[in-house]
Amino acid sequence: MRYEWGGRGVLLRDGEPVGRAAKAFWRERATVTTDEGTWSFRAHGHKRIVSTGPDGAERVAAACSGWLSPVWTVDGEAATYRVRRGSLFASRLVVDRDGGAIGGLTSAGWATDRPALDVGPDVPLVDVVLLLWVGYVARQRASSEAAAATTAAT
């Protein structure tokens, strides 16, 4: 199945709307609403993402470790996932569960920062929403770090 943040904030599953996603313009914050509830995400420092679910409780939903090749540990509702780069120079992120790859995070299109996730139907929507946001944050940070490194080198 392919999930993506479509244009105008529509959350898509295989091209069909399943919810709405709104991200803040200047901050790493987002709110996603589906038939299953509403989730809010925000950065808590540079290494953590905090999530607020339909019950209103905040929890650390993802934590980043590593520097050269960061790995995100994502605590979903159904499982714990790892999000990492496919290779040192690849922009595609690999999603692992139980030690094996189960999907990949990419850009939804050529010239967009909207995330897309290809994953099997056994991953629940609540986990998909969180993985999409982690993919967005990881890709944005990698892009910012690459731009800063290029600027510093010149």
Side-chain angles (χ1 to χ4, degrees):
M1 303 185 101
R2 181 174 177 88
Y3 293 89
E4 65 181 69
W5 282 24
R8 298 188 182 118
V10 177
L11 181 64
L12 302 170
R13 176 177 47 218
D14 293 332
E16 296 297 320
V18 292
R20 306 264 327 143
K23 62 181 178 168
F25 187 70
W26 288 109
R27 297 181 179 182
E28 290 179 339
R29 292 180 183 239
T31 301
V32 179
T33 302
T34 71
D35 289 343
E36 297 178 21
T38 299
W39 295 270
S40 296
F41 305 108
R42 66 179 172 83
H44 190 274
H46 192 68
K47 297 284 187 181
R48 290 182 290 185
I49 293 175
V50 174
S51 172
T52 305
D55 62 358
E58 277 193 351
R59 64 184 180 86
V60 174
C64 183
S65 61
W67 179 75
L68 184 58
S69 185
V71 176
W72 287 88
T73 301
V74 182
D75 292 322
E77 295 289 324
T80 298
Y81 307 89
R82 287 178 6 125
V83 176
R84 59 179 174 79
R85 276 194 229 166
S87 68
L88 187 57
F89 299 107
S91 62
R92 182 177 188 271
L93 300 171
V94 176
V95 179
D96 294 335
R97 180 180 63 202
D98 299 327
I102 63 161
L105 283 154
T106 60
S107 175
W110 181 72
T112 182
D113 64 352
R114 293 180 288 111
L117 172 65
D118 293 302
V119 71
D122 61 326
V123 178
L125 185 58
V126 61
D127 288 1
V128 165
V129 166
L130 177 56
L131 288 167
L132 282 168
W133 182 248
V134 169
Y136 171 78
V137 169
R139 291 173 59 82
Q140 288 296 108
R141 289 183 180 177
S143 179
S144 294
E145 290 165 3
T150 301
T151 302
T154 58

